[in-house]
């Protein structure tokens, strides 16, 4: 949990074999089972919202919307919505409570270390002060995970959509039926996007979800460059070739079968048509020529304007965007596996926080008895003579070092510090003496 709380800035910790083994053990114990339960419940949510779209098309005379299946689906949609709200509130409370407990315990540990501050070096003093300030200002992992913010946004949107849907459907007011359809469509898209949250912990899909989540930064960069070039082009085309706000083209133009007045007629049409240049789509070249001829605009100027925008948007910017995404893919993929392991660890922490207290104690006891330390097969025939362990000698050297330290601290002036150090060193000495006795006994056998 401390590793997850550290966030993506401490991904090197995830690479450590002990953390990898801990993730593997906890995933097998309860993580995979809890993940499957959450995924199954969310797949039902996806099915409910998708069916809500199919059963309620706007301005339709279909009787499916009033069928029993539709009513059952709406009831299930409401029930699972309530469950989602309850689950998010419970997860928020548990995370905040555990974080407060962590802050309290860690501050107490730091206060114990501050008692002997005068014995520490200046770097150690600065580190302790900085850690104390960091612990006080730290927030819970729940607030750091951007998916939780997305969850609350989608829950809010689902609530608004359900209220609007039921208000329009069961009051018979069809004036806002189109707006209801727009709300349901947007909500369904966001609900399906949330499925990435559950795919990020999978070994196969996890790295790709990490890469996709890093792409919005690149999209934002290229969007700024695109808007710098796009806005003046919209202004130019609207100024030269539109009918103006509330205006109409001349009859000589509209009567021509090659003329399309909906390409540059008003501001919104002009914006969309200029964007279609980027996709090398139909941008109404024949209409531009007719307008240019009617308004005595140079045809060469029109061609130059079109050529410039085609080269700038569809050739330069589009290829630059593809190259930027390719660079991001190759750069992020190196750490994508580690980040996906971090996401799995975050999922394990989230599931573990929801477990009952007795189940958590059971899993901790299981880890302490069976995996601390973890057992591994050992064949002494594979060890060469020059690689034989000198564990006995190392233990005796450690014991001698501790006895020397204990003797040096006998004359310490600080009674509290002397007592503290003696207890620490004595406990370690007793442990090593016990190990030596066991080693001697095993050698005699």
């Amino acid at each position: 949990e401390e590793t997850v709380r550290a966030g993506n800035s401490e991904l090197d910790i995830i690479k450590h074999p002990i953390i990898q083994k801990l993730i593997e053990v906890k995933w097998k114990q309860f993580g995979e089972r809890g993940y499957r339960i959450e995924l199954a419940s969310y797949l039902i949510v996806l099915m409910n919202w998708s069916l809500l779209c199919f059963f309620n098309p706007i301005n339709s005379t279909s009787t499916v919307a009033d069928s029993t299946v539709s009513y059952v689906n709406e009831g299930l949609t409401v029930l699972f919505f309530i469950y989602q709200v309850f689950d998010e509130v419970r997860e928020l409370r548990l995370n905040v409570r555990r974080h407060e407990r962590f802050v309290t315990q860690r501050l107490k540990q730091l206060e114990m270390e501050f008692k002997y501050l005068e014995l520490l070096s200046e770097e150690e003093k600065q580190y302790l002060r900085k850690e104390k300030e960091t612990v006080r200002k730290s927030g819970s992992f729940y607030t750091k995970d951007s998916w939780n913010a997305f969850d609350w946004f989608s829950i809010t949107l689902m609530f608004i959509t359900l209220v609007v849907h039921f208000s329009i459907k069961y009051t018979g007011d069809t004036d806002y039926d189109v707006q209801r359809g727009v709300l349901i469509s947007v909500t369904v898209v966001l609900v399906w996007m949330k499925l990435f949250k559950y795919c990020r912990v999978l070994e196969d899909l996890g790295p790709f979800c990490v890469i996709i989540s890093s792409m919005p930064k690149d999209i934002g960069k290229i969007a700024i460059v695109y808007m710098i070039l796009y806005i003046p082009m919209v202004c130019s085309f609207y100024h030269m070739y539109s009918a103006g706000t509330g205006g109409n083209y001349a009859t000589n133009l509209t009567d021509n079968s090659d003329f399309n007045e909906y390409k540059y007629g008003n501001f919104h049409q002009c914006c969309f048509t200029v964007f279609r240049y980027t996709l090398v789509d139909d941008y109404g070249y024949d209409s531009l020529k007719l307008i240019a001829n009617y308004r005595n605009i140079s045809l060469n100027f029109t061609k130059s304007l079109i050529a410039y925008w085609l080269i700038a948007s569809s050739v330069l910017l589009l290829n630059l965007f593809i190259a930027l995404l390719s660079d991001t893919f190759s750069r992020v993929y190196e750490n994508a596996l580690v980040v996906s392991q971090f996401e799995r660890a975050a999922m394990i922490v989230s599931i573990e926080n929801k477990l009952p207290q007795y189940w958590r104690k059971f899993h901790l006891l299981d880890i302490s008895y069976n995996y601390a330390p973890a057992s591994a097969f050992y064949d002494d025939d594979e060890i060469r003579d020059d690689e034989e362990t000198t564990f006995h000698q190392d233990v005796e050297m450690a014991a001698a070092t501790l006895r020397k330290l204990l003797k040096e601290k006998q004359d310490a002036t600080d009674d509290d510090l002397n007592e503290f150090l003696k207890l620490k060193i004595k406990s370690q000495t007793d442990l090593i003496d016990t190990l030596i006795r066991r080693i001697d006994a095993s050698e005699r056998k």
Side-chain angles (χ1 to χ4, degrees), residues 336-369:
L337 294 174
V338 181
V339 176
S340 65
Q341 284 291 320
F342 172 82
E343 299 294 351
R344 174 171 289 194
M347 178 67 72
I348 290 173
V349 170
S350 176
I351 295 172
E352 187 177 11
N353 288 338
K354 299 175 185 177
L355 290 176
Q357 189 69 21
Y358 61 89
W359 273 113
R360 294 186 63 198
K361 290 182 178 179
F362 170 78
H363 291 306
L364 289 175
L365 289 173
D366 180 53
I367 291 175
S368 62
Y369 280 109

Side-chain angles (χ1 to χ4, degrees), residues 241 249 252-260 284-297 299 302:
Y241 306 104
Y249 287 109
N252 295 339
L253 292 174
T254 56
D255 291 342
N256 195 313
S257 59
D258 294 331
F259 181 76
N260 188 346
Y285 178 66
D286 293 334
S287 300
L288 288 176
K289 287 196 300 182
L290 291 172
I291 297 173
N293 291 329
Y294 181 78
R295 295 180 177 178
N296 295 323
I297 301 173
L299 189 59
T302 302

Side-chain angles (χ1 to χ4, degrees), residues 66-67 105:
D66 297 324
S67 63
Q105 293 176 353

Side-chain angles (χ1 to χ4, degrees), residues 370-394:
N370 297 322
Y371 300 97
S375 59
F377 175 75
Y378 171 75
D379 187 1
D380 56 356
D381 294 335
E382 298 179 357
I383 306 299
R384 300 195 307 268
D385 293 338
D386 57 345
E387 292 180 344
E388 288 186 357
T389 180
T390 57
F391 180 70
H392 189 282
Q393 298 176 5
D394 293 340

Side-chain angles (χ1 to χ4, degrees), residues 96-151:
V96 170
R97 192 180 305 165
R98 287 181 64 83
H99 178 70
E100 291 176 351
R101 193 182 306 124
F102 159 76
V103 171
T104 303
Q105 293 176 353
R106 186 57 187 150
L107 289 177
K108 286 182 180 179
Q109 293 173 356
L110 291 174
E111 289 297 333
M112 291 292 294
E113 296 184 24
F114 271 109
K115 290 183 179 180
Y116 308 104
L117 196 62
E118 65 276 3
L119 301 175
L120 303 177
S121 64
E122 191 61 34
E123 291 80 5
E124 291 174 322
K125 293 177 183 178
Q126 185 177 0
Y127 173 79
L128 288 177
R129 293 191 185 100
K130 186 176 180 181
E131 184 178 1
K132 187 175 181 180
E133 189 68 21
T134 302
V135 170
R136 285 177 174 173
K137 294 181 178 180
S138 64
S140 65
F141 171 72
Y142 186 91
T143 58
K144 296 179 181 179
D145 191 357
S146 57
W147 278 109
N148 292 321
F150 184 83
D151 290 344

Side-chain angles (χ1 to χ4, degrees), residues 223-234:
I224 295 174
V225 178
Y226 183 81
M227 293 305 295
I228 292 174
L229 299 175
Y230 171 77
I231 293 176
M233 295 307 300
V234 171

Side-chain angles (χ1 to χ4, degrees), residues 35-303:
Y35 167 74
R36 288 180 177 178
I37 294 173
E38 290 192 3
L39 179 61
S41 63
Y42 193 72
L43 288 177
I44 296 176
V45 173
L46 293 180
M47 181 188 69
N48 290 334
W49 280 93
S50 299
L51 291 177
L52 192 67
C53 266
F54 285 111
F55 290 157
N56 298 276
I58 62 173
N59 298 328
S60 175
T61 58
S62 174
T63 58
V64 180
D66 297 324
S67 63
T68 305
V69 179
S70 178
Y71 293 141
V72 171
N73 181 69
E74 290 175 348
L76 290 174
T77 303
V78 173
L79 288 177
F80 275 92
F81 170 76
I82 296 173
Y83 169 75
Q84 282 184 291
V85 175
F86 170 77
D87 188 61
E88 284 296 327
V89 172
R90 181 180 62 166
E91 185 176 357
L92 174 61
R93 291 181 60 187
L94 289 173
N95 273 272
V96 170
R97 192 180 305 165
R98 287 181 64 83
H99 178 70
E100 291 176 351
R101 193 182 306 124
F102 159 76
V103 171
T104 303
Q105 293 176 353
R106 186 57 187 150
L107 289 177
K108 286 182 180 179
Q109 293 173 356
L110 291 174
E111 289 297 333
M112 291 292 294
E113 296 184 24
F114 271 109
K115 290 183 179 180
Y116 308 104
L117 196 62
E118 65 276 3
L119 301 175
L120 303 177
S121 64
E122 191 61 34
E123 291 80 5
E124 291 174 322
K125 293 177 183 178
Q126 185 177 0
Y127 173 79
L128 288 177
R129 293 191 185 100
K130 186 176 180 181
E131 184 178 1
K132 187 175 181 180
E133 189 68 21
T134 302
V135 170
R136 285 177 174 173
K137 294 181 178 180
S138 64
S140 65
F141 171 72
Y142 186 91
T143 58
K144 296 179 181 179
D145 191 357
S146 57
W147 278 109
N148 292 321
F150 184 83
D151 290 344
W152 280 109
F153 176 74
S154 61
I155 285 174
T156 304
L157 189 60
M158 282 191 284
F159 174 75
I160 296 174
T161 303
L162 288 174
V163 170
V164 172
H165 169 69
F166 290 127
S167 300
I168 292 176
K169 181 176 180 179
Y170 294 103
T171 58
D173 186 6
T174 59
D175 293 338
Y176 299 97
D177 200 28
V178 175
Q179 288 77 1
R180 181 197 65 168
V182 172
L183 265 178
I184 293 178
S185 301
V186 174
T187 304
V188 169
V189 172
L190 290 179
V191 168
W192 273 93
M193 287 180 62
K194 189 181 172 182
L195 192 60
F196 283 116
K197 177 182 178 180
Y198 297 94
C199 294
R200 61 180 178 162
V201 303
L202 300 177
E203 294 181 355
D204 297 329
L205 296 177
F208 292 99
C209 294
V210 173
I211 292 171
I212 291 173
S213 64
S214 64
M215 285 183 178
K217 295 180 181 179
D218 295 330
I219 296 174
K221 294 176 184 177
I222 205 69
I224 295 174
V225 178
Y226 183 81
M227 293 305 295
I228 292 174
L229 299 175
Y230 171 77
I231 293 176
M233 295 307 300
V234 171
C235 296
S236 299
F237 277 101
Y238 182 78
H239 175 69
M240 301 293 293
Y241 306 104
S242 74
T245 304
N248 297 304
Y249 287 109
T251 308
N252 295 339
L253 292 174
T254 56
D255 291 342
N256 195 313
S257 59
D258 294 331
F259 181 76
N260 188 346
E261 61 180 316
Y262 300 107
K263 293 291 185 182
Y264 303 91
N266 55 44
F267 180 74
H268 300 289
Q269 294 169 356
C270 187
C271 288
F272 186 68
T273 303
V274 173
F275 173 73
R276 293 174 71 174
Y277 280 79
T278 308
L279 307 177
V280 198
D281 198 1
D282 179 22
Y283 48 85
Y285 178 66
D286 293 334
S287 300
L288 288 176
K289 287 196 300 182
L290 291 172
I291 297 173
N293 291 329
Y294 181 78
R295 295 180 177 178
N296 295 323
I297 301 173
S298 173
L299 189 59
N300 291 329
F301 172 79
T302 302
K303 292 179 178 179

